[in-house]
Amino acid sequence: MLEELTIKDFALIDSDYLEFSKGFTVLSGETGAGKSIIIGALSFLLGGKAEVSQIRAGKNEASVSGVFYLAKKGEPRKLNPDDEPLNAYEWLDLHGIEVENDRVLLRRFIRDTGKSGAWINDTPVTRTDLAQFSAFLVDIHGQHEHQSLMKVPEHRKFLDSRAGIVSEVQEFTKLYALLVSRRKLLDEFSMSEGERQRKFEMLSFAVNEIAEAKLKKDEDTALEDEENRLLSFEKIYSSVESINEMLTSAEGSVINVLKKIKRESSNAAALDKSVSVLDERIESAFYELNDISNEFSIYKQSLVFDPARLQEVQDRLSLIYNLKKKYASSVNAPLSEVFAYYEEAERYVNENSEGNNKKEVLLAEIKKLEKEVLQRAQIISEKRKTTASVLSKEVDAILAKLGMSGTKFGIKIIDKDGSDIEQKCGPYGIDNIEFLISANPGSPLLPLAKIASGGELSRVMLALKTIFAQSDSVDTLIFDEIDTGIGGEVAVAVGSHLANLAKNRQIFCITHLASIAVYADNQIKIEKAVSGGITSSNVHFVEGEERVKEIARMLSGDSDNESSLEHARTMIAKFSGGRS
């Protein structure tokens, strides 16, 4: 649960500190006031994109921090490094981060140089780590996220999540990828023996040639640098000699002049202590330049032109040039391409050294994999079909509460096209999955992605989020304008549903509808202001009469109209679960 949020110089926000509690909190304000900036700041804190454009105009750094309370849900397991954490405590334990008083502090910044950083408590973490961990804390339903329901491939993900088979499907995908790789390898053995032998000999030669070269990582760039130094010997020697001359040898050399300055500075410091700091700096400069002079003298002595070494370097570069010409994309390609070619060629040679015997082994392995893939795919399919019936009823029940009582939600699961396992199976199993909807009693179930309106999609997504929240460990749900495309009695139903959902979760919702806002336990108002030519967003909780005025504004656009104010008071008294 989010308890504290501190935002500094993020977008239009100068500086804000907010404390939150359990229950239902709405964020409201005029269009363009910056309501979504709060969600943007939270998204940034939780591992979203860090961009220089997020920094407030005129500032060089934006930062966001938040304190989260972690509710314990059973004893965390002791995990091995390869285990998948199931909750926040397990993730922290796996990464060696300690928790104090069941709370963690997340911090993140972005500077105008593009540099960014993030911490969990006092431990620096990567953006990926931050996003992985925060997924256990907060679920943000972003503005227009319900549009993901328009993408049919996403439907499988929803169903698999409800069925609790996400990890099982991931393991299936790995097994399927192994089968595909083995089939690809078999294709290589299916070529004619002559072709296979020619390829085998060609790649064997390449493996031997590259191995004999005994290449080292980035050797080409190191040799090019050395060649450049050897070819430029006379210029380097001349420059170093001139430097030594100016530093120490000439009559008016820098070191000699500094000696005189140092002597006079010491005399002045002896007479006036206020000059002593400058005297120390001159002394430091003298010793630093003297040290530099000595280093250049040593470097000069080490400079030796070695024509034999130059020939060795150029011969080696010529060898590398020829290897790149044969085994890389171009002669200017990085040496890593030659290494990559070597590894692939060596793999082929090793796998083909046994000839047709290897083909027989592969055929047996593929047959075994095909059987296992099909069995697992069928098990997954059965679980999906069982869950589809349950999920449809759950969604129907919630949609009825959200003003869609005549609506029926369905899930179509059919086998993939094809007659053999390769065609019939895909990386996620044998099923094609699509959500269906019947918006009116008696109407047939049709594809959700094709016939549902924006308001219907929003409510279907809210229903799905509600269902997943019941088994999810995430305590905080954020809805950014879930009210898209709805109003009237439907908005009242959505507000009531969010309030009920907030009995066991912390719910945040950006809304412009008073009929949703009045259900909230807490209400935050975001206002835009201009001071000294600079625009900023002010964020604060509204209570009492100030909240009445904000609800009245949301009702009619006029916060001073007496009838609107009275209407607002009546709605708050009837529906509000907290502040009034």
Side-chain angles (χ1 to χ4, degrees):
M1 182 183 79
L2 177 62
E3 291 188 331
E4 300 174 24
L5 181 67
T6 303
I7 305 171
K8 178 73 174 174
D9 295 326
F10 187 92
L12 296 178
I13 295 177
D14 177 15
S15 179
D16 270 309
Y17 169 78
L18 297 167
E19 292 184 7
F20 302 105
S21 58
K22 293 180 180 179
F24 181 20
T25 299
V26 297
L27 292 84
S28 63
E30 297 275 6
T31 300
K35 297 187 292 298
S36 290
I37 292 176
I38 301 293
I39 306 301
L42 259 174
S43 179
F44 169 77
L45 175 63
L46 300 173
K49 284 186 179 180
E51 299 176 342
V52 172
S53 60
Q54 294 167 323
I55 302 172
R56 181 170 164 78
K59 302 296 181 179
N60 56 24
E61 179 179 305
S63 63
V64 183
S65 64
V67 175
F68 290 83
Y69 170 75
L70 305 181
K72 284 188 176 178
K73 298 185 177 179
E75 285 299 316
R77 303 169 297 157
K78 286 297 179 183
L79 303 180
N80 296 315
D82 295 331
D83 290 337
E84 191 76 23
L86 299 179
N87 55 52
Y89 274 99
E90 289 187 354
W91 192 97
L92 293 169
D93 183 57
L94 200 60
H95 290 77
I97 301 175
E98 294 185 0
V99 181
E100 292 185 13
N101 300 319
D102 299 322
R103 285 166 176 80
V104 290
L105 170 64
L106 271 56
R107 293 178 290 144
R108 197 172 183 209
F109 74 84
I110 172 74
R111 295 192 181 126
D112 56 7
T113 58
K115 178 179 174 59
S116 64
W119 291 262
I120 298 175
N121 287 343
D122 293 326
T123 302
V125 294
T126 64
R127 175 191 167 191
T128 301
D129 285 340
L130 188 63
Q132 286 177 350
F133 173 66
S134 64
F136 294 112
L137 307 178
V138 179
D139 180 9
I140 299 181
H141 176 71
Q143 192 174 2
H144 309 307
E145 188 184 331
H146 57 271
Q147 295 296 328
S148 64
L149 292 173
M150 299 288 283
K151 302 172 184 176
V152 175
E154 295 294 309
H155 298 178
R156 177 196 61 79
K157 296 179 183 179
F158 282 110
L159 181 59
D160 288 352
S161 178
R162 180 64 184 89
I165 58 172
V166 172
S167 59
E168 188 175 344
V169 173
Q170 288 173 344
E171 289 302 314
F172 174 85
T173 302
K174 292 177 185 176
L175 185 68
Y176 181 81
L178 179 61
L179 174 59
V180 170
S181 69
R182 288 296 179 264
R183 283 188 176 136
K184 183 179 178 183
L185 190 57
L186 181 64
D187 288 340
E188 294 176 353
F189 281 98
S190 298
M191 65 176 69
S192 70
E193 183 59 25
E195 283 181 287
R196 191 192 67 77
Q197 189 60 32
R198 280 192 295 273
K199 184 175 181 181
F200 179 82
E201 290 173 357
M202 180 187 73
L203 293 180
S204 294
F205 177 83
V207 167
N208 291 331
E209 185 177 27
I210 297 170
E212 286 175 4
K214 295 180 181 178
L215 300 173
K216 298 174 183 176
K217 183 182 178 183
D218 300 325
E219 182 182 0
D220 53 342
T221 54
L223 287 171
E224 286 167 358
D225 289 343
E226 186 177 359
E227 181 189 36
N228 186 57
R229 285 197 303 273
L230 289 167
L231 290 173
S232 305
F233 171 80
E234 290 185 5
K235 291 180 180 179
I236 295 171
Y237 190 90
S238 175
S239 294
V240 171
E241 196 168 37
S242 295
I243 290 170
N244 277 333
E245 177 104 4
M246 288 184 282
L247 283 173
T248 57
S249 301
E251 187 172 330
S253 67
V254 173
I255 300 295
N256 288 334
V257 171
L258 262 178
K259 279 183 181 177
K260 294 177 183 177
I261 295 172
K262 183 178 177 299
R263 185 167 56 250
E264 295 301 329
S265 174
S266 296
N267 292 337
L271 299 172
D272 184 354
K273 292 189 183 297
S274 66
V275 184
S276 60
V277 174
L278 294 174
D279 179 50
E280 289 173 3
R281 290 171 65 184
I282 289 172
E283 185 175 13
S284 176
F286 171 76
Y287 286 123
E288 176 67 13
L289 272 174
N290 199 48
D291 187 57
I292 290 172
S293 175
N294 291 333
E295 292 286 341
F296 267 114
S297 295
I298 294 169
Y299 176 68
K300 178 185 173 184
Q301 292 171 14
S302 71
L303 285 173
V304 178
F305 179 66
D306 186 349
R309 176 56 187 166
L310 176 60
Q311 188 61 51
E312 286 178 13
V313 169
Q314 290 177 332
D315 288 346
R316 187 68 176 168
L317 282 172
S318 178
L319 172 64
I320 292 173
Y321 174 91
N322 288 328
L323 290 175
K324 285 185 178 181
K325 192 174 181 181
K326 287 182 179 180
Y327 306 121
S329 58
S330 74
V331 294
N332 296 317
L335 194 56
S336 59
E337 287 192 13
V338 177
F339 287 117
Y341 186 95
Y342 173 82
E343 290 173 2
E344 183 62 24
E346 187 180 41
R347 179 196 67 78
Y348 182 89
V349 169
N350 289 337
E351 291 179 343
N352 284 269
S353 59
E354 298 177 36
N356 287 330
N357 290 336
K358 182 69 175 179
K359 182 176 180 179
E360 296 302 319
V361 172
L362 266 175
L363 282 167
E365 185 182 359
I366 288 171
K367 188 174 181 180
K368 182 179 178 182
L369 280 171
E370 285 177 342
K371 184 177 180 181
E372 187 178 356
V373 163
L374 183 57
Q375 286 176 341
R376 288 204 196 182
Q378 288 171 338
I379 291 170
I380 288 171
S381 182
E382 287 303 314
K383 290 180 179 180
R384 284 171 175 161
K385 289 171 182 175
T386 300
T387 302
S389 176
V390 174
L391 182 58
S392 295
K393 292 175 183 176
E394 290 174 332
V395 172
D396 283 348
I398 295 173
L399 290 179
K401 297 176 183 177
L402 297 176
M404 296 172 67
S405 57
T407 301
K408 290 294 178 185
F409 179 83
I411 302 173
K412 181 174 70 174
I413 302 176
I414 59 173
D415 289 348
K416 290 182 178 296
D417 294 334
S419 56
D420 62 45
I421 186 169
E422 186 172 10
Q423 293 173 312
K424 206 170 183 182
C425 233
Y428 307 111
I430 57 175
D431 303 310
N432 282 326
I433 298 164
E434 184 172 12
F435 289 171
L436 309 173
I437 194 170
S438 168
N440 301 298
S443 298
L445 287 165
L446 296 172
L448 174 72
K450 294 181 179 178
I451 68 165
S453 66
E456 287 168 338
L457 286 172
S458 291
R459 281 177 281 172
V460 171
M461 179 61 86
L462 178 55
L464 290 169
K465 291 278 185 179
T466 301
I467 292 163
F468 296 141
Q470 292 167 0
S471 57
D472 204 341
S473 61
V474 176
D475 280 327
T476 301
L477 303 178
I478 299 173
F479 296 97
D480 185 0
E481 298 196 10
I482 194 69
D483 52 18
T484 301
I486 65 172
E489 292 182 1
V490 173
V492 172
V494 169
S496 174
H497 182 76
L498 290 171
N500 285 327
L501 190 59
K503 290 176 181 177
N504 299 307
R505 290 285 188 279
Q506 184 185 42
I507 304 294
F508 291 91
C509 177
I510 289 181
T511 184
H512 64 279
L513 296 179
S515 44
I516 290 178
V518 291
Y519 278 97
D521 301 302
N522 314 287
Q523 184 164 351
I524 295 173
K525 183 179 180 182
I526 296 92
E527 295 177 292
K528 187 182 286 186
V530 179
S531 178
I534 298 175
T535 304
S536 62
S537 286
N538 176 262
V539 183
H540 65 282
F541 282 97
V542 289
E543 299 176 285
E545 194 61 23
E546 188 178 4
R547 187 182 183 199
V548 171
K549 287 186 176 182
E550 174 61 5
I551 295 295
R553 181 199 64 76
M554 297 172 77
L555 284 167
S556 65
D558 187 352
S559 60
D560 295 319
N561 182 281
E562 190 53 46
S563 61
S564 296
L565 290 169
E566 189 56 37
H567 188 189
R569 291 188 188 96
T570 301
M571 290 182 71
I572 291 172
K574 182 177 180 180
F575 299 114
S576 180
R579 300 178 187 232
S580 58

